[in-house]
């Protein structure tokens, strides 16, 4: 019924759309750097000690538990409570295990051993039974309340100790971070119980897949509270994203809202974290050694020596997090660093008057101070730049405040240093330091170490270049190039017109060097000034290096700074930088930011085809093939203009007030605009992807029905074509009642699945009957010669009745093909709650709350009626014309209100199916 209507031009178009989608999917799932995270290992066998909770709490939350992590002798010692350390609580995320705490817990234990346990952390972890809270939001509030009880139980373990903690720090992975933020929304929760919150790959802005209203309501409650109470929230919060390797939670969702009153919140991508500089996937972010080491260093720097607990000083907490996660000066953290330092006069002082200077230190026997007089350089240059490959944490560069060559005191400029993977660097704008007379570089006496120090003075104009990005629709056919010939150590390339998340480019850097004996390293850093999502690329030159250029967060409106490509280069090399548009990365950004809306666009396409079939039945008396009507009716201009017009009208106050009077929900396009996610033509691209998916889904559905009907014929000979059509028999009524009871007593999604299977069986049975009838007519035709001579249908009324029944059955199967496709998406969108219910069946027989139960109550009788509906019984219905017109506004509604709120999509499907079923009675 489907294959015969395949148009080869349409087939070529749908195959091309598959190719386009494949390009986008490849960029999302494979278009990123390899996993450079080092595995964190345990040196002793990890142990998880279960903490006994009150019986009332255990009875209220039978699926949840609290554990204390330990290894070796530490675990043995702490089996005898109470505890003496600093409590940290780890909250796993969606389908996460409480055992994921072992990486950071083990690293913290090794760090405590290094300082002879002067301070140590006790890492607790909550067992949420690996619940799928990212897909089913009904348990998020329950998890939040349990964590509150766990915090109180943890603090009781320290009672009677000399330095007993009054609060805990929380590390939340994925949805665990959102649960931690939700603690503040509880009525009885005291904010003083939390002193620090670090979230890893947590989608703070919105759910990844909003499949039920509970998860969207939970997000709205949490984010509204944090926005409205920003002045009163003193909780220092750090959100760390995984970068492009994390395709489960895109990094743009992890950025905390920047509020004017809530200045103690930081958001950063792991590629920008000093001493980490790698992208992590959604799971490796909890065990990535580089990132966990950075986190533990920050934890130990947060300790207050007086209380032996994490400091309560918010300024210090923010300073520590900035030091370790934002900009590391290659020095140990100091709360009040000494900026004016005394310099050793007895050391050797060497004046340097050239504008470009290099010194290679190796087995230095005495300390050296190289001084650069600034008076002369201020006349010719605007900036000074120095770099050192000596990655120790000692001060190495100073500003002299004397006028003599030998300085007695100097300003420690090392705190302005930026740590990079292979060196540390400092760039000074000379006019910012008019009080300095000399720049001083310190070379300590070292043995066995070889390192290089380079300094140069330059004009900003000579090292700052502009490179406009290529046009979005150049498809990589054109490029723009800049050539660096001055052979400097540092360049700033401004990437003009780059600031939107739908942009994607490839930067190719070719380095050509003179003959050099030693290996030369260059560093290319993409710096995004409006968000901490920088990334670094290390290249051995001469070489050709390719860098992907795309964003996690769009450039804010009225933001003057532009993205930069910072190049730390070699003075022995020339560099050529070329940029061109990457079409695959653009498609990847569309999939990454809008892939979750694809089900809504697929259903909208099927609804348009479904409405076209109903209208052809009303106007012509027969139903068109699904593929034919999909090609005819599924047009983006039938949907998108209405959404655009509504969005435009909502910009006017009178229409917005009218909209609010009718209590209509917010338009999805407005939310996307607020997140700077409205790509040009993105709705058109998604609609075409939806059309392609609807087409191939219909093809698969039709082939599956035919295959199952063939299997049915092989196992059992079906009955004849039905002559008496019954809409509701006693068997159907009983089945409907049973399924409604199942929905009420267990899980609504289970009842929906069983209803779908019933409908599929009915369609397969009808297909088997029709196939058997056609085969019997072909093998045993009645009086073929007589029929050929005088085809008189009135001579055999029984045969005429059979032929009409076969035609009607085939016509009905065409209509059922669209219905079965719609139902398949309803089942898919309700599947997460079914999986959640099945996984927790040993704890709860009835899912509560159940997002699918109201839908199941009305969908079950509707499908029971449609399973016995034939086109011949509704073609004369007075309601058929109305039923055929409703799918178009419903398709508009799906795009307008269901693309970011997927749980609304099944409701629109039900309305169209309900009107179809109602045609049997009107």
């Amino acid at each position: 019924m489907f294959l015969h209507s395949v148009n080869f031009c349409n087939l070529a178009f749908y195959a091309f759309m598959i190719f386009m989608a494949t390009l986008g999917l490849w960029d999302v799932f494979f278009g990123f750097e390899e996993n450079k995270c080092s595995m964190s290992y345990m040196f002793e066998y990890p142990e998880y000690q279960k903490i006994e909770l009150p019986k009332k709490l255990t009875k209220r939350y039978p699926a949840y538990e609290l554990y204390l992590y330990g290894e070796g002798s530490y675990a043995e010692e702490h089996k005898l409570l109470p505890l003496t350390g600093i409590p940290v609580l780890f909250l796993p995320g969606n389908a996460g295990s409480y055992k994921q705490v072992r990486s950071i817990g083990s690293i913290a234990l090794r760090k405590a051993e290094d300082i002879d346990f002067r301070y140590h952390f006790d890492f607790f972890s909550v067992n949420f039974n690996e619940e799928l809270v990212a897909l089913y939001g009904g348990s998020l509030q329950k998890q939040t309340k349990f964590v509150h009880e766990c915090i109180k139980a943890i603090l009781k373990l320290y009672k009677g100790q000399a330095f007993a903690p009054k609060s805990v720090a929380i590390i939340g992975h994925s949805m665990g971070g959102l649960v931690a933020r939700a603690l503040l929304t509880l009525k009885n929760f005291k904010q003083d119980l939390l002193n620090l919150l670090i979230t890893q790959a947590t989608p703070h802005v919105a759910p990844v897949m909003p499949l039920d209203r509970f998860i969207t309501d939970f997000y709205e409650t949490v984010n509204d509270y944090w926005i409205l109470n920003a002045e009163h929230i003193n909780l220092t919060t750090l959100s760390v994203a995984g970068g492009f390797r994390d395709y489960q939670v895109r990094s743009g969702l992890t950025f905390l809202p920047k509020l004017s009153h809530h200045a103690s919140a930081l958001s950063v991508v792991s590629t920008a974290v000093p001493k980490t500089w790698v992208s992590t996937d959604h799971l490796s972010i909890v065990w990535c050694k580089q990132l966990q080491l950075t986190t533990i260093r920050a934890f130990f720097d947060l300790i207050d020596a007086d209380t032996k607990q994490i400091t309560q000083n918010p300024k210090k907490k923010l300073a520590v997090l900035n030091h370790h996660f934002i900009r590391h000066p290659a020095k140990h953290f100091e709360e009040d660093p000494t900026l004016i330092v005394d310099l050793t006069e007895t050391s050797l002082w060497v004046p340097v008057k050239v504008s470009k200077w290099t010194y290679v230190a190796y087995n230095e026997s005495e300390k050296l101070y190289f001084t650069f007089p600034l008076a002369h350089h201020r006349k010719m240059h605007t900036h000074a730049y120095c770099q050192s490959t000596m990655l120790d944490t000692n001060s190495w560069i100073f500003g002299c405040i004397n006028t003599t060559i030998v300085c007695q005191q100097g300003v420690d400029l090392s705190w302005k240093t930026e740590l990079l993977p292979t060196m540390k660097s400092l760039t000074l704008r000379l006019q910012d330091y008019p009080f300095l007379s000399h720049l001083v570089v310190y070379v300590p006496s070292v043995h066995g170490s070889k390192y290089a120090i380079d300094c140069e003075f330059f004009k900003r104009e000579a090292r700052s270049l502009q490179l406009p990005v290529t046009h979005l629709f150049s498809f990589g056919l054109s490029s723009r190039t800049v050539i660096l010939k001055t052979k400097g150590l540092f360049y700033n390339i401004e990437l003009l017109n780059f600031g939107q998340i739908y942009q994607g480019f490839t930067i190719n850097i070719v380095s050509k060097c003179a003959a050099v004996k030693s290996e030369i390293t260059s560093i290319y850093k993409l710096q995004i000034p409006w968000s901490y999502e920088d990334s670094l690329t290390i290249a051995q030159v001469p070489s050709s290096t390719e860098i992907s250029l795309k964003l996690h967060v769009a450039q804010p409106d009225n933001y003057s700074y532009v993205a930069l490509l910072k190049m730390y280069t070699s003075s022995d090399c020339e560099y050529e930088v070329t940029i061109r548009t990457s079409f695959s990365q653009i498609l990847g950004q569309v999939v990454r930011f809008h892939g979750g809306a694809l089900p809504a666009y697929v259903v909208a396409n099927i609804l348009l085809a479904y409405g076209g079939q109903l209208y052809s039945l009303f106007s012509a008396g027969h139903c068109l093939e699904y593929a034919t009507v999909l090609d005819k009716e599924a047009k983006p201009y039938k949907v998108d203009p209405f959404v655009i017009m509504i969005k435009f009208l909502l910009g006017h106050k009178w229409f917005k007030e009218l909209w609010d009077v009718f209590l209509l929900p917010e338009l999805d396009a407005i939310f996307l605009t607020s997140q700077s996610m409205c790509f040009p033509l993105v709705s058109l691209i998604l609609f075409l992807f939806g059309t392609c998916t609807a087409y191939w889904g219909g093809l698969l559905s039709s082939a599956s029905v035919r295959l199952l009907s063939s299997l049915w014929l092989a196992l059992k000979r079906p009955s004849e074509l039905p002559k008496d059509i019954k809409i509701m028999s006693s068997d159907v009524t009983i089945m409907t009642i049973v399924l409604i009871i199942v929905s009420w007593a267990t899980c609504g999604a289970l009842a929906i699945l069983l209803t779908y299977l019933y409908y599929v069986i009915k369609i397969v049975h009808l297909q088997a009957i029709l196939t058997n009838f056609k085969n019997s007519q072909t093998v045993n035709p009645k009086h073929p010669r007589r029929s050929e001579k005088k085809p008189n249908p009135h001579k055999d009324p029984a045969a005429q009745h059979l032929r009409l029944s076969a035609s009607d059955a085939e016509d009905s199967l065409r209509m059922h093909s669209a219905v079965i496709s719609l139902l398949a998406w309803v089942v898919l969108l309700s599947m997460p709650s079914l999986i959640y219910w099945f996984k927790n069946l040993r704890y709860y027989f009835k899912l509560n709350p159940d997002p699918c139960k109201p839908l199941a109550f009305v969908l079950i009788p509707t499908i029971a009626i449609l399973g016995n509906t034939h086109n011949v019984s509704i073609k004369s219905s007075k309601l058929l014309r109305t039923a055929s017109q409703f799918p178009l506004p419903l398709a508009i509604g799906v795009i307008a209100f269901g693309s970011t709120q997927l749980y609304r999509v099944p409701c629109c499907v039900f309305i169209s199916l309900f009107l179809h079923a109602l045609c049997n009675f009107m």
Side-chain angles (χ1 to χ4, degrees), residues 236 263-264 266 298 301-302 311 313-329 333-337 415:
T236 302
S264 56
L266 291 175
D301 282 342
L302 285 165
T311 180
N313 185 347
K315 290 184 178 179
K316 179 180 177 181
K317 285 189 280 190
L318 199 62
V320 169
L321 295 180
N322 271 290
H323 178 92
H324 288 281
F325 287 90
I326 305 300
R327 185 183 177 92
H328 198 295
F333 174 78
E334 294 180 24
E335 187 173 0
D336 296 310
W415 292 103

Side-chain angles (χ1 to χ4, degrees), residues 118-281:
R118 186 167 70 253
Y119 310 112
H120 73 274
F121 289 88
D122 299 319
F123 275 84
F124 297 85
S125 184
V126 175
N127 178 17
F128 285 135
N129 193 34
E130 301 183 11
E131 291 180 336
L132 300 173
V133 288
L135 303 178
Y136 169 75
S139 62
L140 284 169
Q141 189 68 18
K142 184 169 58 176
Q143 287 189 1
T144 306
K145 293 179 179 179
F146 180 75
V147 171
H148 183 199
E149 298 296 333
C150 286
I151 292 173
K152 293 188 287 186
I154 288 171
L155 294 178
K156 287 180 181 179
L157 300 177
Y158 295 85
K159 277 192 172 182
Q161 299 303 306
F163 299 96
K166 298 179 181 179
S167 58
V168 302
I170 289 183
I171 298 177
H173 173 239
S174 188
M175 295 298 289
L178 185 69
V179 169
R181 287 180 63 214
L183 286 169
L184 275 63
T185 66
L186 298 178
K187 292 182 180 180
N188 299 324
F189 183 79
K190 297 179 180 179
Q191 193 180 142
D192 295 339
L193 293 177
L194 288 183
N195 54 39
L196 178 67
L197 172 59
I198 296 179
T199 66
Q200 299 173 338
T202 296
H204 292 293
V205 177
V208 178
M209 293 289 285
L211 296 175
D212 64 61
R213 62 181 178 86
F214 301 118
I215 193 169
T216 55
D217 290 347
F218 189 82
Y219 264 90
E220 185 177 354
T221 300
V222 173
N223 287 331
D224 285 352
Y225 181 89
W226 278 63
I227 291 172
L228 296 176
N229 297 275
E231 294 182 15
H232 309 293
I233 295 178
N234 298 318
L235 177 61
T236 302
T237 308
L238 171 69
S239 175
V240 183
F244 288 109
R245 280 193 62 85
D246 188 354
Y247 50 78
Q248 295 184 46
V249 176
R250 61 178 178 84
S251 297
L253 290 176
T254 68
F255 278 69
L256 293 160
K258 294 182 179 179
L259 306 174
S260 58
H261 298 292
H262 188 50
S264 56
L266 291 175
S267 302
V268 63
V269 181
S270 60
T271 54
V273 175
K275 295 190 176 182
T276 300
W277 296 306
V278 297
S279 179
T280 65
D281 59 54

Side-chain angles (χ1 to χ4, degrees), residues 372-385 413 427-436 438-439 456-459:
F372 299 81
L374 298 180
H376 173 69
H377 291 296
R378 291 184 196 277
K379 300 176 181 178
M380 302 177 60
H381 307 105
T382 60
H383 288 71
Y385 172 82
L413 299 175
T427 304
L428 296 178
R429 192 169 65 165
L430 297 181
Q431 70 178 36
D432 294 340
Y433 300 90
F435 55 90
L436 298 182
H438 292 74
L439 191 65
E456 66 175 354
F457 293 84
F458 59 86
K459 282 188 176 181

